[in-house]
Amino acid sequence: MSAYCWASWRGAALMKMKKNKLIILLTLLCTALSYSACNNSDGIPATVTFTEHVAPILYNNCTLCHRPGGSAHFSLVTYDECRKNAGACAYVAKERIMPPWPADPHYTQFVGQRILSDHDIRILQLWASEGAPEGPKDKLIALPAYPVGSEIGTPDLRIPVQPYLLPANSIDKFLLVKVPFLLPADTFASLIEFIPGHKNVVHHVNGDMVKYQFDKKADVFAGERIVNMVEDTASLLQAFQKLGLPNDDGTYPVLQKSVVNYLPGAVGQKYPEGIGGYFLPRKGAFLLNDLHYGFTNKDEVMDSSYINIFFAKSPPKRPVQEFQLGTLGVAPVEPDLIIQPDSIKHVSSHFTVPFDISVLTINPHMHLLGKTFKAYALQPNGDTIRLISIPRWDFSWQYFYTFKKMVKIPKGSTIVAEGIYDNTRQNLNNPFSPPQLVRDRNGSMKATDEMFQFIITYLPYEQGDENISLETK
Ligand code: HEC
């Protein structure tokens, strides 16, 4: 299903690439001609070369993922690698498929957003159309130094995730994984980070923390570690039983949501001093709700991912809280998320906030039929607070978007999330051909069932929150 999604995504991109090739070439030719005529009028060099102009763009925007050991399946580091892919790079840049950033930057801006300028796109196009010349070798800048083992620093504790063997030519897997831990005492953490073993197979992770009361659970390590949510037809509750999550008396421990998330290109949510942080119980487990492994090529892959924990000396002053609109959330999806075959479906969800909140991070969530997503808040005084607009939904890139500064949503404002689904044949990501009825199934994570969720992490508002920068670099 999601392998299908990938395959069709790539297929579609390539198809479009061929169809548009002629047009692109013609456009490039024309632009090239007009530039040589009025060269340098807007900072475009007369001859675009790899070492002087292209490498700085690729090294700043692409090699985070496109390098050996990165999350993409091919590298854009050496001249040869880039020359071979010059046309494809110009195309994906122009279409704003790469770098992957589905949120519209004209609507709202977020921390760490990766968006090429029009100037950069022009450079990539000209370079491709001019035969991708190398330029003087001594002008090549150094590749940025990419952190190993942690994006943030040296962790205080590293907990391994159960290694998982992905067979050769494997399709996507969606796993529910338990990562138990036992500490010498209750403590606090400032940050919890997921580090993938093999970046190009670990696609994304969304993980919660299970917090046990010490005497209610004899053995946190009992039970299975991994349940495959697609191949195993178990309900979520049966899966929780298999993983041995309940307390010994059958009741359920406290679950703290979205404690550890991962998506290629996204760095762990590190907030300024005094914001965020976690209470870590002596006995607990991380519950990776959705460890998504992408397809593998001809080789089998053993993935050994792990979780890094950075301790904190004191309890969290302002722990981050979370709620969600839509599927399994505080406000329902309206109308019900039942998407008839060959139809376009509009849904929304509305929630009025009962007190002033400061929003840190938001995460829109839909599956393969998603087309667009938009969220905003309507204030009691009639003003609108923009939250996010995703004009071209992409199942593969579901970031937790962090605002550059916290966004205050005053008490009595109504948060509105709107989604459009496309269950026609025209949707190249449609998992069914011909299209079939697809619906929300109690938050089923299978990509062939749909979901509509808008997750919001927030703090109760305090004076001045809207001036605190969340860009910690
Ligand atoms: C956050 C990670 C990330 C960043 C940043 C990124 N890419 Fe990609 N890119 C990917 C992934 C993942 C794919 C999917 C194909 C794969 O698995 O290798 C991809 C696919 C592509 C493809 C299409 C290949 C195909 O098989 O259809 C091109 C071309 C490309 N990227 C170029 C770029 C360029 C140029 C940049 C920078 C301007 C860039 N990418 C930035 C992760 C990234």
Side-chain angles (χ1 to χ4, degrees):
M1 50 194 62
S2 191
Y4 179 86
C5 146
W6 273 112
S8 62
W9 182 86
R10 290 157 67 99
L14 289 174
M15 241 161 55
K16 270 191 250 156
M17 238 179 261
K18 281 197 193 119
K19 205 162 57 182
N20 290 346
K21 211 168 170 184
L22 193 69
I23 305 172
I24 293 176
L25 281 182
L26 286 176
T27 328
L28 287 179
L29 197 66
C30 301
T31 5
L33 286 176
S34 60
Y35 280 126
S36 46
C38 52
N39 136 44
N40 274 343
S41 64
D42 54 0
I44 301 282
T47 312
V48 175
T49 70
F50 174 71
T51 55
E52 292 167 288
H53 315 106
V54 170
I57 298 175
L58 301 182
Y59 289 8
N60 280 321
N61 297 284
C62 319
T63 48
L64 172 73
C65 305
H66 291 277
R67 68 186 151 98
S71 56
H73 286 81
F74 68 99
S75 164
L76 290 173
V77 173
T78 66
Y79 168 60
D80 267 354
E81 289 162 349
C82 299
R83 183 183 48 78
K84 270 189 286 175
N85 292 295
C89 287
Y91 174 77
V92 293
K94 168 79 185 358
E95 291 296 312
R96 296 198 179 277
I97 296 168
M98 288 283 146
W101 192 263
D104 177 1
H106 302 295
Y107 194 75
T108 34
Q109 306 260 325
F110 298 96
V111 173
Q113 61 185 28
R114 245 174 253 116
I115 291 153
L116 291 182
S117 66
D118 291 342
H119 174 270
D120 291 348
I121 293 173
R122 229 117 131 233
I123 295 277
L124 294 179
Q125 287 183 295
L126 282 173
W127 186 60
S129 71
E130 288 169 1
E134 180 168 15
K137 283 197 165 62
D138 61 339
K139 289 281 166 62
L140 184 63
I141 60 163
L143 193 67
Y146 293 105
V148 189
S150 164
E151 297 280 341
I152 289 133
T154 310
D156 299 301
L157 182 65
R158 176 166 288 181
I159 307 179
V161 174
Q162 176 89 2
Y164 191 75
L165 181 73
L166 285 137
N169 301 310
S170 142
I171 56 157
D172 291 36
K173 306 230 179 264
F174 293 87
L175 308 180
L176 193 64
V177 182
K178 181 173 93 162
V179 187
F181 60 84
L182 183 63
L183 303 172
D186 290 347
T187 182
F188 315 105
S190 59
L191 202 114
I192 301 166
E193 183 188 34
F194 181 92
I195 301 292
H198 274 272
K199 283 196 174 156
N200 60 10
V201 293
V202 179
H203 198 276
H204 79 260
V205 172
N206 178 229
D208 307 334
M209 181 165 36
V210 184
K211 298 173 162 183
Y212 291 104
Q213 273 175 294
F214 192 77
D215 51 359
K216 288 207 144 189
K217 182 83 177 167
D219 183 5
V220 283
F221 297 95
E224 289 177 29
R225 294 290 170 87
I226 296 178
V227 173
N228 184 323
M229 289 307 289
V230 176
E231 285 161 22
D232 208 320
T233 48
S235 72
L236 211 49
L237 270 185
Q238 284 168 323
F240 288 170
Q241 303 277 350
K242 270 195 179 171
L243 294 173
L245 287 179
N247 289 316
D248 296 335
D249 63 7
T251 60
Y252 274 89
V254 171
L255 190 75
Q256 184 174 0
K257 300 285 288 172
S258 298
V259 164
V260 53
N261 298 314
Y262 170 79
L263 191 69
V267 178
Q269 282 143 29
K270 187 179 170 191
Y271 295 126
E273 195 57 41
I275 295 177
Y278 308 92
F279 169 77
L280 276 189
R282 260 191 88 175
K283 272 183 187 165
F286 295 104
L287 177 63
L288 309 180
N289 269 310
D290 202 358
L291 173 50
H292 174 185
Y293 284 114
F295 62 89
T296 53
N297 293 331
K298 56 185 191 309
D299 299 322
E300 62 175 22
V301 175
M302 174 65 100
D303 177 57
S304 306
S305 296
Y306 46 89
I307 291 173
N308 284 337
I309 299 184
F310 297 81
F311 289 140
K313 287 194 186 64
S314 44
K317 279 199 211 93
R318 301 183 70 191
V320 174
Q321 301 177 43
E322 175 178 319
F323 64 90
Q324 69 201 37
L325 279 71
T327 313
L328 305 177
V330 293
V333 186
E334 295 170 291
D336 284 343
L337 192 55
I338 300 171
I339 314 169
Q340 298 295 341
D342 300 306
S343 76
I344 303 281
K345 174 104 178 176
H346 292 243
V347 298
S348 63
S349 186
H350 307 79
F351 178 68
T352 302
V353 294
F355 50 87
D356 292 354
I357 61 170
S358 299
V359 177
L360 297 150
T361 295
I362 53 179
N363 172 238
H365 181 58
M366 305 199 272
H367 292 170
L368 295 166
L369 298 183
K371 203 74 192 153
T372 70
F373 190 104
K374 191 172 191 177
Y376 49 90
L378 295 171
Q379 296 191 57
N381 69 6
D383 288 353
T384 300
I385 302 169
R386 294 173 175 197
L387 295 174
I388 192 164
S389 172
I390 299 182
R392 191 170 52 180
W393 176 257
D394 188 337
F395 175 74
S396 305
W397 299 103
Q398 309 200 23
Y399 292 108
F400 273 77
Y401 292 93
T402 300
F403 286 104
K404 293 191 165 185
K405 285 179 177 168
M406 282 187 264
V407 173
K408 178 186 178 185
I409 300 186
K411 171 182 171 173
S413 305
T414 299
I415 298 176
V416 181
E418 298 170 341
I420 301 179
Y421 293 84
D422 180 349
N423 195 5
T424 69
R425 274 160 235 262
Q426 276 70 52
N427 182 351
L428 294 161
N429 293 323
N430 199 324
F432 298 111
S433 173
Q436 289 176 24
L437 186 135
V438 173
R439 59 173 306 164
D440 193 333
R441 254 180 253 279
N442 270 332
S444 150
M445 289 175 297
K446 291 185 190 176
T448 43
D449 292 332
E450 265 304 339
M451 278 176 90
F452 181 71
Q453 273 185 338
F454 184 49
I455 300 173
I456 297 176
T457 74
Y458 73 97
L459 300 171
Y461 175 76
E462 281 179 17
Q463 190 80 39
D465 272 357
E466 55 275 71
N467 302 321
I468 299 177
S469 168
L470 298 177
E471 293 184 276
T472 48
K473 278 250 164 89

